[in-house]
Amino acid sequence: NTRSQVRKGVSQLLEYRYLENRPEANLILVIEKPLGAACNWMIDFVENNQKISLIWDGSNELYGTEATKEKFPFLNLQ
């Protein structure tokens, strides 16, 4: 379940940031594949509301949203 996995990933990242006392940390959530149309709202929630960048895997390449590509150009995301 995509929604459940994204929830778990977001909460885990927020927990790590809190426990490490790193409020300035750049958080990145890596998912297996791009979010489907029914889950597109999660991109806005994760990136804009929670300030967590999204990256996904595909055909031995890493992909990211335009915002993530701009924030992390050194990752050479597709």
Side-chain angles (χ1 to χ4, degrees):
N1 180 319
T2 302
R3 190 180 209 171
S4 173
Q5 293 302 311
V6 169
R7 280 182 177 166
K8 288 176 184 178
V10 166
S11 63
Q12 188 175 18
L13 287 169
L14 295 174
E15 179 184 350
Y16 289 161
R17 181 168 58 190
Y18 174 79
L19 291 174
E20 294 296 321
N21 194 27
R22 303 289 303 258
E24 76 290 347
N26 287 312
L27 302 179
I28 300 174
L29 179 62
V30 181
I31 56 179
E32 281 186 88
K33 56 187 177 185
L35 296 173
C39 296
N40 270 345
W41 65 270
M42 282 193 260
I43 295 171
D44 181 59
F45 171 72
V46 171
E47 290 203 330
N48 297 320
N49 186 274
Q50 297 299 309
K51 307 299 184 217
I52 298 172
S53 299
L54 278 174
I55 293 177
W56 60 91
D57 186 27
S59 305
N60 295 319
E61 303 249 10
L62 290 177
Y63 295 82
T65 63
E66 289 303 315
T68 299
K69 289 178 193 178
E70 289 177 21
K71 191 171 184 177
F72 303 103
F74 59 90
L75 292 176
N76 296 317
L77 299 171
Q78 302 302 309

